[in-house]
Amino acid sequence: MTEHDFIPGAAGELPESGSFRWEAPSNIALVKYWGKKAGQIPMNPSVSFTLHTCSTQTELRCRKSGTPSGTPSFEVFLEGSPAPHFREKIQSFFERILPFQPFLSGYAFEIHTENTFPHSSGIASSASGMAALALGLMDLEQVIYPDMPPEFFHRKASFLARLGSGSAARSVGGNLVQWGAHESVPGSSDLFGIGYPLPVHSVFRSFRDTILLVDKGQKQVSSTAGHGLMQGHPYANARFDQATSRIEALQPILEKGDLQAFIELVESEALTLHAMMMTSSPYYILMKPATLRILEHIREFRESANEPVCFTLDAGANVHVLYPEESHEKVYAFIKDTLLPFCQDGQHICDRVGSGAKRL
Ligand code: DP6
């Protein structure tokens, strides 16, 4: 598919108004996306677990607004209060998606959104938020073009979400999602995420992710600025090649349920992401002392208790602790005793692999 396939034909009668509600999950990348080209095209493919508990619920209300012209007007509310800090991101989202949903210009929108995770927890809401918004906009498109097939609906939702935030392309579908073209993954595309189409061992269908909130402060660097620092980065090409080959390396790991190899790959991905940030110019050190202590404790526990537990990281100080469902009792006891003292007020979120966005 090309971008062109997402440009709709002439619209018929536009509905006067509508209201659409979606819940979209957050996701955690196993192979990381870090570095992009113009048009939100990733420098390498990525694969993520879709989460179950961390999600955004968005109600999109629209009404026809007279003569269509340019990007639509909109108001955005977070938990019932005006949220002007989201305006800029949503404005540029509407500008990017307008060629693919030209009917938007005839509408005014109200966007009411809330997250299941705490405010400023350091957990990015852009992936789940953009996915939930894109799905609401697809509901409007579906009313205007009622014959749209479900597969196209979901693909285009991921395509639009990507234009809001790259990782949002992976927050529409469930379980495991690949975004980014790779010759070994049938149907994979730089334009949208797809449900991982290769065999996956049952152990990964119920994986746990306990998210440790180490630092709830504002991000030091926006993801977009961070991606930009990969341009001209001395290790960029080696990193993109590494991630691309890891997409292939992950396949037998996921198929066989090879937890040892999974741990090695996933932890190295997290540390490589941070190594890229630490070696960019300017550099960023986003891990905190507590992050490092947690990583050390996870490694020690894994060796002493012989439990297949590992960590991954986003572009921040929080730690995602990944482990199979059957290890839950032992690993969670370890988390409570040893790791929670490193979290702000002991805060953490018990999450697990989830099945994707839902219409509410
Ligand atoms: C470190 O998707 O937040 O979480 O496309 O600029 O919105 P933009 O960036 P974003 O980048 C996320 C990067 C990451 C790794 C990942 O999720 O793959």
Side-chain angles (χ1 to χ4, degrees):
M1 286 181 91
T2 67
E3 283 203 332
H4 199 78
D5 297 315
F6 293 107
I7 299 174
E13 187 63 23
L14 299 182
E16 279 305 315
S17 63
S19 167
F20 312 103
R21 291 181 69 216
W22 278 87
E23 173 166 357
S26 192
N27 70 76
I28 181 68
L30 304 173
V31 176
K32 307 286 181 185
Y33 148 59
W34 197 243
K36 61 179 163 180
K37 302 179 216 172
Q40 295 280 98
I41 299 300
M43 292 301 294
N44 61 262
S46 54
V47 172
S48 53
F49 276 144
T50 303
L51 297 183
H52 173 80
T53 304
C54 288
S55 64
T56 300
Q57 297 182 348
T58 296
E59 177 175 351
L60 179 69
R61 298 180 198 158
C62 63
R63 63 186 155 70
K64 259 179 147 167
S65 65
T67 325
S69 66
T71 49
S73 62
F74 68 93
E75 287 177 278
V76 54
F77 301 86
L78 177 64
E79 290 179 359
S81 304
H85 52 288
F86 287 151
R87 275 206 75 81
E88 201 183 317
K89 196 149 182 147
I90 294 175
Q91 177 68 32
S92 80
F93 174 61
F94 275 129
E95 283 163 17
R96 287 179 193 166
I97 68 170
L98 197 58
F100 306 101
Q101 290 196 318
F103 53 85
L104 296 182
S105 63
Y107 284 96
F109 291 96
E110 260 183 43
I111 301 162
H112 294 265
T113 191
E114 44 196 75
N115 299 319
T116 57
F117 42 90
H119 279 322
S120 59
S121 56
I123 297 188
S125 59
S126 61
S128 51
M130 286 298 172
L133 179 55
L135 284 154
L137 292 167
M138 285 308 296
D139 269 351
L140 173 60
E141 182 166 333
Q142 175 92 72
V143 175
I144 302 169
Y145 301 89
D147 298 332
M148 188 189 305
E151 194 190 18
F152 182 85
F153 179 101
H154 283 96
R155 261 190 196 169
K156 185 162 176 183
S158 171
F159 171 88
L160 296 178
R162 182 196 102 240
L163 293 171
S165 179
S167 54
R170 300 188 312 243
S171 272
V172 173
N175 282 198
L176 278 147
V177 175
Q178 168 146 349
W179 165 46
H182 193 288
E183 57 188 13
S184 70
V185 183
S188 59
S189 169
D190 284 348
L191 299 179
F192 47 83
I194 58 165
Y196 195 71
L198 300 172
V200 176
H201 191 279
S202 58
V203 72
F204 295 116
R205 299 282 179 201
S206 56
F207 236 60
R208 295 273 183 157
D209 178 5
T210 301
I211 307 166
L212 306 179
L213 304 181
V214 171
D215 182 44
K216 303 190 290 165
Q218 279 287 24
K219 277 186 161 182
Q220 282 176 46
V221 55
S222 75
S223 303
T224 302
H227 289 287
L229 295 174
M230 288 303 279
Q231 271 162 28
H233 190 294
Y235 307 136
N237 289 335
R239 163 59 196 158
F240 301 142
D241 288 349
Q242 177 192 49
T244 304
S245 61
R246 280 179 167 168
I247 293 289
E248 223 163 333
L250 193 60
Q251 293 165 9
I253 295 174
L254 292 178
E255 180 169 2
K256 291 184 206 140
D258 183 347
L259 294 174
Q260 190 51 46
F262 178 83
I263 289 167
E264 278 168 32
L265 188 150
V266 167
E267 290 192 341
S268 174
E269 272 298 296
L271 294 175
T272 306
L273 168 71
H274 282 257
M276 290 300 109
M277 296 189 270
M278 289 161 81
T279 48
S280 63
S281 173
Y283 66 79
Y284 291 95
I285 303 174
L286 301 188
M287 288 187 280
K288 299 284 179 199
T291 312
L292 290 174
R293 297 298 307 280
I294 289 170
L295 304 194
E296 283 168 356
H297 278 294
I298 290 174
R299 181 150 71 171
E300 278 163 26
F301 173 77
R302 178 165 69 231
E303 283 162 13
S304 61
N306 200 22
E307 288 293 335
V309 52
C310 66
F311 63 81
T312 189
L313 305 162
D314 265 339
N318 295 334
V319 180
H320 290 247
V321 188
L322 300 177
Y323 50 97
E325 170 70 26
E326 65 176 35
S327 297
H328 179 63
E329 209 175 309
K330 280 192 191 148
V331 174
Y332 192 60
F334 153 71
I335 289 173
K336 276 202 294 205
D337 292 348
T338 310
L339 303 186
L340 294 192
F342 295 105
C343 299
Q344 283 192 351
D345 308 320
Q347 284 195 66
H348 65 291
I349 300 168
C350 292
D351 212 333
R352 60 189 146 94
V353 170
S355 55
K358 291 195 295 274
R359 191 182 270 112
L360 296 173

